[in-house]
Amino acid sequence: MNKVKILFFATIKDRAGQKSLELDIPSQTTVLALKEKLGVEFPNLKDSLKSVLISINQEYSFDDAVIPQGAEIALFPPVSGG
Amino acid sequence: MNKVKILFFATIKDRAGQKSLELDIPSQTTVLALKEKLGVEFPNLKDSLKSVLISINQEYSFDDAVIPQGAEIALFPPVSGG
Amino acid sequence: MQHFPTIFSITESEIDLNDLLAKITLPSAGAAAIFTGMVRGVTARDNPHETKYLEYEAYIPMAEAKMRQVADEIRERWSVVEGIAIVQRIGKLYPQTPTVLIACTAAHRDTGVFEAARYGIDRLKEIVPVWKKEVGPNGEEWIEGAHIPKAGE
Amino acid sequence: MQHFPTIFSITESEIDLNDLLAKITLPSAGAAAIFTGMVRGVTARDNPHETKYLEYEAYIPMAEAKMRQVADEIRERWSVVEGIAIVQRIGKLYPQTPTVLIACTAAHRDTGVFEAARYGIDRLKEIVPVWKKEVGPNGEEWIEGAHIPKAGE
């Protein structure tokens, strides 16, 4: 198993109703599989997950990526700083 | 006659050896005629006068212009601010 | 190039332009191009509206890493750029307050230093994980960006 | 347009970027492009040399009139520009000191506000009557500009 930290920001945080969580996921879980799992756990997130941005260890990541051990994963909408 | 004020800046001031002077010139004197007069009065200025910039009452002026009554005239090299 | 100063930070404090400019001005610098963004209280374009304040949030460690990447991208494209400062202020920010700054210094102004600063703010708004919620007379709304980063961005 | 702030001055005091930016930031402004020039202590391009300090001199009333003209020219070309600040510091100025500032504000950054600031500094260096004498290890020399104004400039 792989214990990962998940962070939510902006609209994703509001819809999830929390800022972060820790999760045990199987080794070799992909980003896509994690998103599906989160869609089940947080039904409010379901619509957002199609267009959400994902980072793993503070680099942008994508559906095919395999989540490394102990990763810090963040989910957020397209950025709007400035 | 026309009493005018003449100001010198930068290299022109250094070569003239003074910052300003007042001068009585005939009515209808042109910029070109004034430059010739100054070339006689300030021999060190002679070479500079070919490329000097001239302003009358704080607007750029040129050889053909007739100097108005009581004008403030300035002579200076191309500007180098910034 | 290692001696050229690069400043990047997410801060809750006022953005001090004088201080940041001094920090990126080497003895060889003769020109600085600086961009600042401010909170608009009144917006006329697109969807005209008023803003009471913006509330900024950042994923701080990633935001600072991506600011460093923006600086690296600037140096790759404009090797003449000397100092770079990139600062994003977060928290609750009211109209007329500077929220973001990008500053680049170079020996001369005709070296691309303006384009470098412009590139910097454009990239910040694409890849640096910061979000703002707009609070106006009719309630609040998260502003969403438009850029979808590609692999390696 | 009369309500848009235009600041222009020749000063012997430090240039305060924070203060100037605040003065030209209306509630409708979301973007500022700012150029500052600094005294270079070390110049590599063209004729490499060192500078101990620059001594600036201005024909103050004409310089301020020409700064106003630069601001007018900016507004003619970029009608979206809101506030404009143009400041030239004079006197004895040492390396790394800001000597000149041009700042333009606008609602958005894609409105030409960068180009407006660039135009402003280019024009200042053409028509605003300010001169500098450079003092270096081998003596002093007046810097001469290259622009010859035409009638009406």
Side-chain angles (χ1 to χ4, degrees):
Chain A
M1 292 297 280
N2 178 5
K3 186 186 277 299
V4 297
K5 183 164 190 189
I6 300 182
L7 307 173
F8 300 122
F9 292 96
T11 45
I12 308 298
K13 177 189 68 182
D14 285 1
R15 283 182 204 141
Q18 62 194 86
K19 278 184 169 183
S20 64
L21 73 155
E22 298 211 331
L23 209 61
D24 282 312
I25 56 174
S27 297
Q28 303 301 316
T29 298
T30 63
V31 165
L32 184 63
L34 176 69
K35 280 159 71 174
E36 281 162 2
K37 186 180 170 72
L38 289 169
V40 174
E41 211 147 323
F42 298 91
N44 284 342
L45 276 190
K46 209 137 195 221
D47 287 345
S48 311
L49 287 171
K50 290 165 203 150
S51 61
V52 77
L53 304 187
I54 304 260
S55 69
I56 296 180
N57 296 335
Q58 301 158 25
E59 286 294 344
Y60 287 106
S61 190
F62 303 89
D63 284 353
D64 293 346
V66 172
I67 295 168
Q69 285 295 316
E72 178 176 290
I73 300 159
L75 283 82
F76 47 79
V79 307
S80 62
Chain B
M1 293 298 280
N2 178 5
K3 186 188 279 296
V4 296
K5 183 166 190 189
I6 301 182
L7 307 172
F8 300 123
F9 292 95
T11 44
I12 308 298
K13 176 190 69 181
D14 285 1
R15 282 181 205 144
Q18 62 194 85
K19 278 185 168 182
S20 64
L21 73 158
E22 300 212 328
L23 208 62
D24 283 312
I25 57 174
S27 297
Q28 303 301 316
T29 297
T30 62
V31 165
L32 184 62
L34 176 68
K35 279 160 71 173
E36 280 162 3
K37 187 181 169 74
L38 288 169
V40 174
E41 212 148 323
F42 298 92
N44 284 341
L45 276 189
K46 210 138 197 221
D47 288 344
S48 311
L49 287 169
K50 289 164 205 154
S51 61
V52 77
L53 304 188
I54 304 260
S55 69
I56 296 180
N57 297 334
Q58 300 158 25
E59 287 294 345
Y60 287 106
S61 191
F62 303 89
D63 284 354
D64 293 346
V66 172
I67 295 168
Q69 285 295 314
E72 179 176 289
I73 301 158
L75 283 82
F76 47 78
V79 307
S80 61
Chain C
M1 300 285 177
Q2 286 79 346
H3 63 293
F4 285 154
T6 305
I7 294 169
F8 45 91
S9 77
I10 301 286
T11 179
E12 299 203 17
S13 310
E14 272 187 36
I15 297 179
D16 184 338
L17 281 73
N18 297 323
D19 177 58
L20 289 162
L21 176 60
K23 285 187 171 138
I24 60 167
T25 299
L26 297 178
S28 47
I34 305 169
F35 175 82
T36 64
M38 293 82 74
V39 178
R40 263 193 319 279
V42 181
T43 297
R45 199 162 79 172
D46 303 332
N47 162 36
H49 66 281
E50 285 177 31
T51 302
K52 277 161 68 183
Y53 60 86
L54 297 177
E55 181 113 39
Y56 283 78
E57 173 178 320
Y59 178 15
I60 294 179
M62 180 168 170
E64 293 186 340
K66 289 292 151 189
M67 285 174 162
R68 178 187 279 281
Q69 178 180 325
V70 171
D72 289 346
E73 290 182 10
I74 289 173
R75 293 194 195 287
E76 264 167 44
R77 285 163 178 74
W78 292 277
S79 60
V80 295
V81 166
E82 297 185 351
I84 300 176
I86 305 179
V87 180
Q88 171 74 57
R89 189 173 175 188
I90 58 172
K92 200 169 173 175
L93 297 173
Y94 288 85
Q96 296 171 278
T97 308
T99 58
V100 68
L101 172 141
I102 308 269
C104 296
T105 56
H108 304 274
R109 75 187 186 288
D110 60 359
T111 51
V113 71
F114 282 88
E115 292 79 2
R118 174 70 197 266
Y119 178 86
I121 182 63
D122 288 349
R123 283 299 273 163
L124 179 140
K125 284 171 174 263
E126 288 181 347
I127 64 168
V128 176
V130 174
W131 304 270
K132 58 193 169 208
K133 190 165 63 178
E134 180 162 10
V135 180
N138 305 316
E140 57 179 55
E141 190 183 7
W142 282 101
I143 311 296
E144 210 152 292
H147 187 76
I148 311 296
K150 289 178 287 293
E153 248 188 314
Chain D
M1 301 286 178
Q2 287 78 349
H3 63 293
F4 286 154
T6 304
I7 293 170
F8 44 91
S9 77
I10 301 287
T11 180
E12 298 203 17
S13 309
E14 271 187 36
I15 297 178
D16 185 338
L17 280 74
N18 297 323
D19 177 58
L20 289 162
L21 176 60
K23 284 187 170 138
I24 61 168
T25 300
L26 298 178
S28 48
I34 305 169
F35 175 83
T36 64
M38 293 83 73
V39 178
R40 263 194 318 281
V42 181
T43 296
R45 198 162 79 172
D46 302 332
N47 163 35
H49 65 281
E50 285 178 31
T51 303
K52 276 161 69 181
Y53 61 86
L54 297 177
E55 181 112 39
Y56 283 78
E57 172 177 320
Y59 177 16
I60 294 179
M62 179 168 170
E64 293 185 340
K66 289 291 149 190
M67 284 174 163
R68 178 187 279 282
Q69 178 179 324
V70 171
D72 290 344
E73 290 182 9
I74 288 173
R75 293 194 195 286
E76 266 168 43
R77 283 163 180 73
W78 292 276
S79 60
V80 293
V81 166
E82 298 186 350
I84 300 176
I86 305 179
V87 179
Q88 170 76 56
R89 188 171 177 191
I90 58 171
K92 200 169 171 176
L93 297 173
Y94 288 85
Q96 295 171 278
T97 308
T99 59
V100 69
L101 171 142
I102 308 269
C104 296
T105 57
H108 305 273
R109 74 186 186 288
D110 60 359
T111 51
V113 70
F114 281 88
E115 292 78 2
R118 175 70 197 266
Y119 178 86
I121 183 62
D122 287 349
R123 283 299 273 164
L124 179 140
K125 284 171 174 265
E126 287 181 348
I127 64 169
V128 175
V130 173
W131 305 270
K132 58 192 168 207
K133 189 166 62 179
E134 182 166 10
V135 180
N138 304 316
E140 57 179 57
E141 189 182 9
W142 282 100
I143 311 295
E144 211 152 291
H147 187 75
I148 310 297
K150 289 177 286 294
E153 250 189 310

